[in-house]
Amino acid sequence: MRIGVVFPQTEFPGDPSAIRDYAQTAEELGFSHILAYDHVLGANPNRAGGWNGPYTYRHSFQEPLVLFSFIAALTHKLEFTTGVIILPQRQAALFAKQTATLDLLSGGRLRLGIGLGWNEVEYVAQNENFTNRGRRIEEQVHVLRQLWTQPLVDFHGRWHNIPDAGINPLPQQRPIPIWFGGNAEPALRRAAALGDGWMPGFHTASEARSALDLIEQCLAEAGRSRDSFGIEPRLSYGQGNPDSLIEIIDGWQAAGTTHLSLNTMGSGFDTPEKHIRAIQTFAQAVGLVET
């Protein structure tokens, strides 16, 4: 199992030095990847009609591709993972270009988690349709993979038209891996049909059992092998109890999980140094580094 960290962006200042220290420490400790959440806009909770989302305009979110471009120049081995990019609120061709550039300049260290999102305000503000995002994301995946692997693309779909054109340079990975987030049945079926992996939102493997069973079923129906399909849950650091954390990790590993990301947000840390100490403590507890 490959173990990474979730960049604690809602609790982290926009300080380049702090971001550098966090990323370089994670790499030195032996974490395999760094995962970043995605939100372009935060809504005002006092807006007309109210707001019930978990994030508002007060929450900090670094744009993942720009963040990873910065970190790529400061690290050598860390993989960069989005968890997840809200793809249907982005232009597919532009996103293909941006990710191809990042993948190439980082030496093929990009892995994309994508999803539909829940924040309609972001869709409205970016002039994208919130109601058809599930259907559009499927077409977007086909567009991305063609743009990443072919010098010229002639694509004419329901929402995308590419008239014999292509991006240059192409990414190092052809194509860049695409994983899907989401726990609803349509998301699981989409992941099994189109994705290289799935990022569950369940706390433990036992909570995810029925979803894991459905993934297995859908992969079989698609004629795909479970061995070539990744699973990456997030592990909440909580109070940092090593026995509890290791028990949860063991459960996920027994369920066939290939990756896992440690999330230190929500644990009461109010400085970058506390987040860094937490990943150091965790790395020692699970044997990434010697005590």
Side-chain angles (χ1 to χ4, degrees):
M1 180 191 294
R2 294 168 61 84
I3 299 179
V5 291
V6 177
F7 179 67
Q9 53 190 342
T10 64
E11 301 176 5
F12 223 78
D15 179 351
S17 297
I19 295 171
R20 176 203 62 204
D21 292 346
Y22 181 89
Q24 291 180 339
T25 299
E27 184 170 70
E28 291 166 1
L29 290 170
F31 288 101
S32 64
H33 60 276
I34 184 166
L35 179 149
Y37 296 170
D38 172 44
H39 277 292
V40 175
L41 296 168
N44 181 0
N46 299 318
R47 62 193 292 271
W51 181 249
N52 295 316
Y55 301 111
T56 74
Y57 73 97
R58 296 186 180 92
H59 289 91
S60 171
F61 280 91
Q62 304 286 345
E63 199 290 314
L65 302 185
V66 177
L67 171 69
F68 290 156
S69 296
F70 174 73
I71 297 175
L74 303 170
T75 58
H76 304 283
K77 298 179 293 182
L78 272 181
E79 181 185 62
F80 306 114
T81 305
T82 56
V84 297
I85 283 282
I86 312 305
L87 187 59
Q89 66 185 20
R90 285 171 166 77
Q91 296 174 330
L94 176 59
F95 186 70
K97 180 74 171 182
Q98 292 169 322
T99 50
T101 301
L102 173 55
D103 186 71
L104 183 64
L105 296 182
S106 68
R109 289 191 276 158
L110 181 60
R111 177 165 54 95
L112 290 170
I114 64 171
L116 303 181
W118 48 265
N119 187 350
E120 187 172 1
V121 169
E122 289 183 294
Y123 278 80
V124 172
Q126 295 176 86
N127 198 32
E128 296 292 350
N129 192 326
F130 184 75
T131 62
N132 64 15
R133 65 198 193 283
R135 288 168 289 165
R136 280 194 297 115
I137 199 173
E138 296 175 5
E139 186 171 295
Q140 284 181 301
V141 169
H142 293 299
V143 170
L144 291 174
R145 285 181 171 145
Q146 288 190 37
L147 286 170
W148 288 332
T149 58
Q150 302 174 23
L152 288 172
V153 173
D154 193 27
F155 185 97
H156 304 283
R158 184 172 179 181
W159 294 285
H160 302 83
N161 286 288
I162 302 175
D164 198 20
I167 61 174
N168 189 1
L170 295 174
Q172 179 167 316
Q173 299 180 95
R174 302 180 188 175
I176 297 168
I178 292 178
W179 293 39
F180 282 81
N183 293 339
E185 181 174 336
L188 302 183
R189 293 190 177 278
R190 194 175 292 120
L194 298 173
D196 298 300
W198 173 49
M199 296 175 165
F202 297 96
H203 180 60
T204 66
S206 59
E207 293 174 2
R209 187 68 268 165
S210 61
L212 290 166
D213 290 342
L214 179 58
I215 283 282
E216 295 269 6
Q217 174 189 327
C218 293
L219 286 169
E221 291 172 355
R224 303 183 63 193
S225 169
R226 172 66 179 82
D227 294 338
S228 61
F229 187 83
I231 304 285
E232 179 175 1
R234 294 185 301 274
L235 174 67
S236 176
Y237 184 82
Q239 300 303 309
N241 183 298
D243 294 334
S244 298
L245 294 173
I246 291 172
E247 181 180 358
I248 295 172
I249 292 170
D250 289 345
W252 280 115
Q253 192 158 25
T257 294
T258 58
H259 298 64
L260 181 142
S261 293
L262 174 70
N263 181 12
T264 57
M265 288 182 283
S267 297
F269 303 138
D270 54 5
T271 66
E273 291 75 19
K274 290 180 181 178
H275 282 283
I276 291 173
R277 285 199 295 271
I279 66 173
Q280 290 171 330
T281 299
F282 175 86
Q284 292 178 345
V286 301
L288 288 180
V289 295
E290 296 182 1
T291 57

